[in-house]
Amino acid sequence: MASDDREAPGSYFLSQTAAQKLDEELMGEAYGFTLEQLMELAGLAVAQATYAHYVAPGQNSVPGEKVNVVVCCGPGNNGGDGLVAARHLHHFGVPVSVVYPKPGKHVHYARLVKQLNALDVPVLSKLDAPSNSHDALARSTVLVDAVFGFSFTPSGPENVREPFKTLIERMNDYDKILCVDIPSGWHVEQGLQPGTLAIQKPDALVSLTAPKLGVRNFSGHHYVGGRFVPPRLAQHTGLRVCHYAVADQVTRFHEKVDD
Ligand SMILES: NC(=O)C1=CN([C@@H]2O[C@H](COP(=O)(O)OP(=O)(O)OC[C@H]3O[C@@H](n4cnc5c(N)ncnc54)[C@H](OP(=O)(O)O)[C@@H]3O)[C@@H](O)[C@H]2O)[C@@H](O)CC1
Ligand SMILES: [K+]
C-alpha cells in the first residue's frame, strides 16, 4: 500500500508494487491461482464491462447501429487480458477484431491467439484510422485498450516505444475507448502525465484485481473486476473492496465498503 495509507483502515487503491505483490500472492502457495486463471477472470470481466457499457440494450451504443469492438493488445499480460476478452465478446455475439502488433513471448499468448483463429476472429498487426467520424462505422466502433498495464514504464522523450507509439497515436483518433487496468501510457501511480503520449480521454476503465493509485481521480465510467480476491487476502493487504451483485464479474467502482 502507499505509505500514507498505513494508518487508514485500508485503501481502495494499490501502488504499483502492491499490485504486483497482490498478484504474486494470488499465484503463491497460500492462494493457488495460476496466471492463466487470473488472465481468464480478468478477460471475462473486461468482456462483461464492455458488453454492459456499450452493447446491452439502451446503452451508449448508437441506436440501431451494431457496435463493433477492436481490442488493441500489448506484449504483456495486459495484452493477454485483451486476447481473452476478445474471445468472450465473440461468444457474446459482438463483432470483434484484435490488433496485436508485437505478440508476447509467453506460450500462453500463442494459445490465446490460436483460440481466436479457430473462431475466425481477425488478429491484425495495425489499427486502421477511423473512417470519417460522421459515418456509422466510426460512431459504433469501440476500442478496448489492452496495450499496457501495471508494468508500463515511461521510456524516453516519447514515453512509449514503437510499435506502440504509432498504435496509441492512432487509438487517440477514436472517441470510445475502454481501458484495461490502466489507460495505456499513464503512470501507474501518478496517472496521466501532461504532454506525454498516452490514452488521452478514456471513456471507461476496468480496474483488475483493484484500482491503482494512478486512476484515483479517474472521472469516466469506472468498473472493477476483482471478485476473485479472497477477503482474507484483501484484509491482509489492507485493501478495501467493492460489492458485486449476483453473478457479475464486474461492479461499478464506488467508495462503499463491502459490508
Ligand atoms: N500479473 C498477473 O498476475 C496478472 C496481470 N494481469 C494483467 O497484466 C498486467 C501486467 O502485466 P505485465 O506485468 O505483463 O505488464 P504489462 O503492463 O502488460 O506490459 C508490460 C510490457 O510492455 C512493454 N512496455 C513497458 N513499457 C513500455 C514502453 N514505455 N514502451 C513500449 N513498451 C513498453 C514491455 O514489453 P517488452 O518491451 O519488454 O517486450 C513490458 O514487458 C496487469 O496490468 C493486468 O492487466 C491480469 O492478467 C491478471 C493477472
Ligand atoms: K491498458
Side-chain angles (χ1 to χ4, degrees), residues 30 75 142 203 219 221:
V142 172
D203 177 42
S219 57
H221 302 277

Side-chain angles (χ1 to χ4, degrees), residues 30-180:
Y31 294 94
F33 280 92
T34 63
L35 176 64
E36 291 78 2
Q37 279 183 292
L38 293 177
M39 195 171 288
E40 193 65 26
L41 287 165
L44 177 58
V46 170
Q48 281 198 344
T50 304
Y51 190 89
H53 194 67
Y54 293 107
V55 186
Q59 280 307 96
N60 306 44
S61 53
V62 184
E65 275 157 10
K66 194 139 174 64
V67 170
N68 64 89
V69 178
V70 181
V71 185
C72 300
C73 296
N77 292 338
N78 197 251
D81 298 349
L83 296 172
V84 171
R87 172 169 26 91
H88 287 293
L89 283 164
H90 173 80
H91 288 306
F92 293 167
V94 179
V96 60
S97 59
V98 167
V99 173
Y100 197 26
K102 182 181 166 190
K105 303 174 191 75
H106 197 296
V107 66
H108 188 56
Y109 303 134
R111 288 175 168 279
L112 293 173
V113 171
K114 194 173 281 188
Q115 292 158 20
L116 292 170
N117 296 155
L119 298 169
D120 298 326
V121 171
V123 179
L124 313 166
S125 54
K126 74 182 198 44
L127 174 64
D128 291 335
S131 38
N132 69 49
S133 57
H134 310 297
D135 85 348
L137 181 70
R139 281 201 310 269
S140 54
T141 298
V142 172
L143 292 192
V144 170
D145 158 30
V147 181
F148 303 126
F150 60 53
S151 297
F152 172 73
T153 39
S155 84
E158 297 291 356
N159 195 43
V160 175
R161 294 190 300 277
E162 287 297 6
F164 302 107
K165 175 174 171 296
T166 305
L167 178 58
I168 290 182
E169 282 165 351
R170 176 59 47 85
M171 289 170 75
N172 281 328
D173 293 338
Y174 287 77
D175 62 13
K176 281 189 274 230
I177 305 182
L178 176 140
C179 295
V180 178

